[in-house]
Amino acid sequence: MRAVASLLLLVLVAACRPLDPGAPELSAAFPFGVASGDPAPEAVELWTRYQGSAPVRVELWEAASGIAPGEGVRAISAVAAEGGFVQLRADGLRPATEYRFRFTEDDGGELSRVGRFRTAPFASAPERLVFGVLSC
């Protein structure tokens, strides 16, 4: 039983690691990382908590494009609401496509960690859609 518990702990720790093992620690400006949700075929919600004063933007790019962070396919300006929450809807995306994204200060200062999401397929697409939930 102890071996099973140890293995489960190892799996949970591995699952909660950042997408990029070489990623920097969480920045002071983006202390809680990034999140995505409500995927649609051509859009998704992106959000973070921002504790800085500079304007921010989110950079997003297709994961399969080979584009490195900083060479974002799209950059969308965002404004932090009261409490530092930044939430925006990125639209005009391709269906059933995996994307990477990060928030950054407009002045080139602090960067968030890189997150990822996949847009939903069209309802008529024969592709399967599987959801999974993991909490750390």
Side-chain angles (χ1 to χ4, degrees), residues 29 48-52 79-86:
T48 189
R49 176 101 189 269
Y50 178 59
Q51 295 183 336
V79 176
E82 188 174 329
F85 292 99
V86 179

Side-chain angles (χ1 to χ4, degrees), residues 67-107:
I67 293 175
E71 300 173 6
V73 171
R74 294 185 57 194
I76 304 168
S77 294
V79 176
E82 188 174 329
F85 292 99
V86 179
Q87 183 175 1
L88 61 97
R89 184 144 183 97
D91 55 8
L93 305 176
R94 292 179 21 170
T97 303
E98 186 174 333
Y99 287 87
R100 304 268 196 261
F101 71 102
R102 73 176 177 192
F103 286 85
T104 179
E105 292 180 324
D106 272 350
D107 62 6

